[in-house]
Amino acid sequence: MTNVANWKRDSVVCVLLLCFYAAMYAESIELKAVARTYPQVLMLLCAIFTAALLVKSISARHTEAADGDTQQKKTALAVIRDVAVICAALVAYALAIKILGYITSSAAFIAGTLLYLGVRKWYVVAGVSLGTTLFLYYMFNHLLGILLPSGFLI
């Protein structure tokens, strides 16, 4: 796509989102005072961020890509490849969680994803994968009382 098509599409989406947020804010006015605060704050924050994106999109039409279409195509293919690999990893994780259990499959999934995304420090990979897995295990099993799948490896 050309830069013109990108900023036009982005601008249209931003305007539509702003209209949606305005409509949702107007609908939330009819709620009780206690119930309307969270939706109104959420809609205002979303509107602020969307307005920032709209400004960025409009200002982007004045800049041109340095490398042209070939660089955009390479980037697009790399993004598609990354999304496909992560989706395949999610499917493998969903299948493995029933066999290996939550702790083993989650730690392996997170570690594999981090390694694929380029994190190479072993202590970061180990800390994030084990820390996230154990934190979520504690939250679900002990605080919420929701049992996570257990397999033959834990």
Side-chain angles (χ1 to χ4, degrees):
M1 266 193 225
T2 64
N3 286 340
V4 174
N6 281 338
W7 74 261
K8 282 185 180 178
R9 182 192 65 220
D10 292 348
S11 298
V12 169
V13 169
C14 286
V15 169
L16 291 173
L17 281 173
L18 287 172
C19 292
F20 173 75
Y21 297 143
M24 292 303 291
Y25 187 88
E27 286 294 320
S28 70
I29 291 174
E30 298 174 9
L31 298 173
K32 293 179 183 178
V34 175
R36 74 174 157 221
T37 304
Y38 179 72
Q40 287 179 341
V41 169
L42 190 63
M43 291 304 124
L44 285 175
L45 286 173
C46 288
I48 289 168
F49 290 129
T50 303
L53 286 174
L54 180 62
V55 169
K56 181 180 175 187
S57 173
I58 291 172
S59 66
R61 71 178 175 167
H62 298 294
T63 61
E64 295 181 0
D67 294 332
D69 289 336
T70 57
Q71 183 64 27
Q72 288 178 349
K73 287 179 184 176
K74 287 180 185 177
T75 304
L77 289 175
V79 168
I80 291 170
R81 183 196 67 224
D82 290 347
V83 169
V85 168
I86 298 297
C87 286
L90 281 169
V91 170
Y93 170 67
L95 296 173
I97 200 168
K98 294 178 183 177
I99 299 166
L100 302 176
Y102 171 77
I103 293 177
T104 306
S105 58
S106 294
F109 169 73
I110 294 171
T113 303
L114 288 172
L115 289 170
Y116 178 76
L117 293 175
V119 178
R120 295 291 178 240
K121 296 178 181 175
W122 68 270
Y123 54 89
V124 173
V125 172
V128 170
S129 63
L130 290 175
T132 303
T133 300
L134 294 176
F135 173 75
L136 290 174
Y137 181 81
Y138 177 77
M139 289 288 293
F140 277 95
N141 275 358
H142 298 287
L143 297 180
L144 298 175
I146 300 171
L147 296 177
L148 295 172
S150 60
F152 70 89
L153 288 177
I154 299 178

